[in-house]
Amino acid sequence: MTFNASTITTASEGAWQGDNPLNHALPLLIVQTILVVFVSRTLAFLLKPFRQPKVVAEIIGGILLGPSAIGRNKKFMHIVFPAWSTTMLESVASFGLLFYLFLVGLELDFRTIRRSGKQAFNIAVAGITLPFICAVGVTFLLQRAIRSENHNIGYVQHFVFLGVSLSITAFPVLARILAELKLLTTRVGETAMAAAAFNDVAAWVLLALAVALAGQGHKSSLLTSIWVLFSGMAFVAAMMILVRPVMNRVARKCSHEQDVLPEIYICLTLAGVMLSGLVTDMIGLHSIFGGFVFGLTIPKGGEFANRMTRRIEDFVSTLFLPLYFAASGLKTDVTKLRSVVDWGLLLLVTSTASVGKILGTFAVAMMCMVPVRESLTLGVLMNTKGLVELIVLNIGREKKVLNDEMFTILVLMALFTTFITTPIVLAIYKPSRIVNSGSQKPSRLTDLQEKLRILACIHGPGNIPSLINFVESIRATNMSRLKLYVMQLTELTDSSSSILMVQRSRKNGFPFINRMKSGPMHEQIATAFQAYGEVGKVTVHHLTSISLLSTMHEDICHVAEKKGVAMIILPFHKRWGGEDEEVTEDLGQGLREVNQRVLQNAACSVAVLVNRGVARRYEQEPETSVAARKRVCIFFIGGPHDRKVLELGSRMAEHPAIRLLLVRFTSYTEVGDEGPKYNSPTSTTNWEKEKELDEEAVNEFKVKWQETVEYIEKNATNITEEVLSIGKAKDHDLVIVGKQQLETTMLTNIDFRHGNEELGPIGDLFVSSGNGITSSLLVIQDRYLINSNESNLVKTSRAESTVIKDAIEEL
């Protein structure tokens, strides 16, 4: 059945009326969108173990749905992608692309480019120039081997489009690859990002030139192309001179709106994007240039830009971009490459693009005194292609500059060069994550003469009050200053806002929050800790980990080792509202797994801080909360984790505003013939040695702090009741325990179901709902290494206790 485009309606009469919904525009578009998103997401999941960026999966998905694979089935194409729907699909995809390019313009900060230096500029110029020179010969061969459908298109148009496609570096894709490979903060990553930013600007200028020249094939002349270029330049100048001040004023007004973005400003911005696209289309440039230029007019780093990005990025990147890749895939027909000559041309184009880009970058990097391995890595990274490449190719096909064979060859070239980037970089450049010579000697909690170094991780402003209160409590004496590294944990996603943060990455590990200025949250965090550092005599350094959740623990452990910290403080993934025991914040399983990986891999002590009500007291009394007298309770049962708790208690005992209580459970020597089983590398046969160390630690603590610390001994037989009674008494602001895993006979009636393994049985009891406990909790795990004794302990205790077995096997 054939359809006339003029007879196609938007909606169907319904299946009950005998009308096929797929013969109408809207139902068919919905089916196409669902299919495209499903295929691209499935491929992204399958390619995730290979560390491939999402754009690779989307390009492959588009090709698979096209005539190269599934689309070879004529019945499938007739039903799902009929010819009459092509214009509709491309229009919707182009509309989404208009707003995506607006986001790209939002990301591009010229101040960052100016600060990048001559080295990055020279590398970018070399990476563009040499591929363009190589395009001279390749264009000649392609013109001879493949006959163009449009005989009015000359050598110059072919050369410009081919040169642009060979020389482009995809900045967003490169940022994603660097982030996944943990190279963002290395010298290679910083140089590649800066060079890619230069390359991005040059690519848009060259693409505008290519579009203007491509018009000569129609009712046009060289003079018309010149007018198109000058009109485009005048449009950019007008946007920067007239529109940019207006958007600056809008951005300043929105910064004062703390809660919501006014609807009038959203409408103004979206209308501006569409109007700019209309103007550039009328000029003779593609409409996407208008969206890109309008994005450049909006101030970078402010709350307005961030909120606009969050408003539209997910919808655009999740729905519209896959449609654009699908539309490109429907035009890509690998079966058109039938002869040996065609495949030889594909090999020629791919090798020319790779050699030109890599060789040009490598040569200039070597001239800039960059080491050989890093120079080669830079060349491979700069060879990354992406969305801009496909935009160039699609425009070239629309202008009849590229025919089907040329288009397919260049799409496959872009796919191949991007796909090989990650494996080649992994093969030739492996920066060690374990720093030996550059790492500082770890500080110790017990040494009051040296500066104590602490790494505190936070998720947002809600973690600030409890963390400041805790840090203040361990700032023991005036003799030793405390150095606090505050690391904000930020998940790296496929969104544009992640790229905005990536662009601001700095040397020395991670971007500094107080330099980012990317919204009230970052300003609130930086201001709070800066103020506390000045008042509390604490040296504060602000860091940010921008990483995937699956590898975020590597950043934390790396910085801890690099800075030689004595302890890592992790916020628990839940926060409570106080006596009503309602969870006010749950950050989800992902960040909980980050905590668990840090506990398993950290080379220093780790503390998990559970905030239950401290934040409310801090917010009500911001001026007196630090100075207020706080009540802290320490539980001591025995083992290396509890001895570390005593070390921390020694620092707290010196603080004049801390009232400390030590509760020791003393009857553990009566449990079994072999004594308790600690979750530590200590063999079960050495429990007597552990007992001696426990006695020595407790006696030393009592002698040193007998006048300032209250000491109580409790019977461990009813440890559950004792723990609950202390917690329900609400006499303490903070309770500190070691991360113990003891025989089930030690913890009578504790229903430990492994709900919060990272807290241990006592910590899990404290955070369980229904117990009426409102005290905040700190669970400490001492630094230790898993050795052969640990595996022996698993074997000997397997038949004794299910709790012990599960805990050790998890470690």
Side-chain angles (χ1 to χ4, degrees), residues 655-706:
H655 201 291
I658 300 295
R659 191 175 70 187
L660 195 62
L661 168 66
L662 173 60
V663 179
R664 184 186 185 190
F665 296 94
T666 57
S667 64
Y668 65 86
T669 56
E670 302 172 3
V671 180
D673 297 330
E674 295 183 352
K677 309 298 191 291
Y678 299 114
N679 183 19
S680 73
T682 308
S683 171
T684 55
T685 59
N686 292 334
W687 74 271
E688 291 184 356
K689 178 63 175 177
E690 286 293 310
K691 179 184 174 182
E692 293 177 5
L693 293 174
D694 292 344
E695 292 293 338
E696 181 182 348
V698 172
N699 291 333
E700 181 181 349
F701 186 86
K702 288 168 59 179
V703 170
K704 187 174 183 180
W705 307 111
Q706 59 182 347

Side-chain angles (χ1 to χ4, degrees), residues 90 149 161 330-332 336 392-404 407:
E90 291 182 354
E149 299 174 359
F161 267 97
L330 293 175
K331 305 172 190 174
T332 305
K336 291 287 183 71
V392 172
L393 301 182
N394 277 285
I395 293 177
R397 195 175 185 281
E398 289 176 9
K399 301 292 185 180
K400 304 297 184 180
V401 176
L402 305 176
N403 59 14
D404 291 342
F407 181 82

